[in-house]
Amino acid sequence: MFKISNLTAYIESKKILDDFSLEVNDGEIHAIMGKNGIGKSTLCKIILNDPHYEIKAGHITYNNESILGKPTYEIAKAGIMLVNQNPISIEGVTNMEVLRTALREKNEENINIFKFNKEMEEACQKLELDPKFIHKDINVGASGGERKKIELLHIAILKPSFLILDEIDSGLDVDALKVVSNFINEYHKQTGCSILIITHHKQLLDYIKPNYVHILSGGKITKTGDYHLAEEIESLGFRSNIIDEDEKSE
């Protein structure tokens, strides 16, 4: 479904990814873990074609089609959705307006307003999100936890087939983490979507069990395992048995 092959990327002459490869099949959940500043969030930006990064080599394909260099809106329209760790506020545009426009653009047809409104209200109920946010400007006046839930509201309506969750657990209290995790698990079960989780800690992975856990170091994946690898990292840390390519090269 989604494949990165031998990707090398730079920003301002600094190498961020070095011969990076990853393959996510239909319905799989993958988690990428690593130390702070190692390039995990950068990977998300590169997938969505952030213009600040320069691709020197490699390929990114989604459903057997190259998305490397495509405009971000085309990547999103194809079914890839990124939930940022710090969702931005957009004044003057409500959640209802942006979702109605995006849904019309995605499906290339007019939408059923009654069905659309019902889905919005049902999603808010599942997320324990005040429905007033449907008609409010995007993330304006929302707390950190509410912003994450608003992002998931967008998932419920747009129904992407590949989710990229960039530290979605940051800023969430215990109760909010459970609500968010339960929503993602239910969405995965209902749609069979694929998920890529970026996280520092295993707490999120206790709720959303990944098929594979990868360690990012030195711009590439240096170790892959199942959920137990996350447990090992939580217990022993990254330095215990994870090769740091930067230190190795020294």
Side-chain angles (χ1 to χ4, degrees):
M1 180 193 193
F2 177 81
K3 187 174 182 179
I4 301 177
S5 304
N6 309 112
L7 192 69
T8 298
Y10 286 75
I11 183 169
E12 297 179 352
S13 74
K14 179 182 179 181
K15 186 185 292 185
I16 303 296
L17 297 180
D18 182 16
D19 199 34
F20 179 96
S21 295
L22 173 70
E23 185 169 355
V24 180
N25 294 314
D26 287 337
E28 289 182 344
I29 301 176
H30 290 238
I32 293 182
M33 304 182 73
K35 297 185 295 185
N36 287 332
I38 206 68
K40 301 184 301 297
S41 294
T42 292
L43 174 63
C44 303
K45 296 176 182 178
I46 290 173
I47 293 172
L48 273 293
N49 193 25
D50 186 316
H52 294 93
Y53 296 89
E54 182 181 4
I55 308 300
K56 293 284 190 178
H59 304 279
I60 304 178
T61 58
Y62 179 64
N63 290 333
N64 297 317
E65 291 188 10
S66 174
I67 61 171
L68 195 61
K70 281 192 173 183
T72 301
Y73 78 89
E74 288 190 11
I75 297 172
K77 188 176 179 180
I80 298 177
M81 184 167 179
L82 169 64
V83 177
N84 292 290
Q85 57 177 304
N86 295 308
I88 63 172
S89 300
I90 304 176
E91 295 185 0
V93 181
T94 68
N95 287 290
M96 172 173 279
E97 289 169 337
V98 74
L99 285 173
R100 188 165 55 195
T101 301
L103 194 61
R104 187 185 300 116
E105 176 71 16
K106 177 186 176 184
N107 297 336
E108 298 181 350
E109 61 183 20
N110 291 327
I111 62 173
N112 183 315
I113 296 298
F114 176 79
K115 180 181 178 183
F116 173 73
N117 290 337
K118 184 179 179 182
E119 287 185 351
M120 294 267 282
E121 292 170 359
E122 289 176 347
C124 286
Q125 186 175 12
K126 289 180 182 178
L127 288 165
E128 298 181 13
L129 178 68
D130 192 326
K132 70 182 181 182
F133 284 106
I134 293 175
H135 304 284
K136 291 190 68 173
D137 293 352
I138 299 172
N139 294 326
V140 174
S143 67
E146 288 169 337
R147 290 180 182 224
K148 300 293 177 62
K149 290 181 178 182
I150 290 169
E151 293 279 286
L152 297 186
L153 170 62
H154 289 209
I155 287 175
I157 301 303
L158 298 177
K159 297 179 175 56
S161 52
F162 183 42
L163 305 182
I164 304 174
L165 309 178
D166 183 15
E167 297 187 35
I168 193 173
D169 49 335
S170 66
L172 296 182
D173 59 32
V174 174
D175 292 332
L177 180 60
K178 289 181 180 179
V179 170
V180 165
S181 299
N182 288 339
F183 180 90
I184 293 169
N185 281 328
E186 183 179 347
Y187 183 81
H188 177 258
K189 182 178 180 179
Q190 290 178 344
T191 65
C193 69
S194 300
I195 302 176
L196 178 61
I197 300 172
I198 309 295
T199 186
H200 287 107
H201 309 290
K202 86 172 185 70
Q203 187 176 13
L204 177 64
L205 307 185
D206 290 337
Y207 294 109
I208 307 174
K209 288 291 194 300
N211 301 103
Y212 300 97
V213 175
H214 310 281
I215 307 304
L216 179 62
S217 180
K220 64 183 66 177
I221 290 174
T222 57
K223 189 168 184 177
T224 294
D226 59 14
Y227 169 75
H228 297 293
L229 179 56
E231 293 181 321
E232 182 180 332
I233 294 167
E234 186 76 7
S235 176
L236 302 176
F238 288 106
R239 289 182 179 273
S240 60
N241 62 358
I242 310 303
I243 298 174
D244 188 318
E245 293 295 329
D246 291 334
E247 295 177 1
K248 183 180 177 182
S249 64
E250 295 175 358

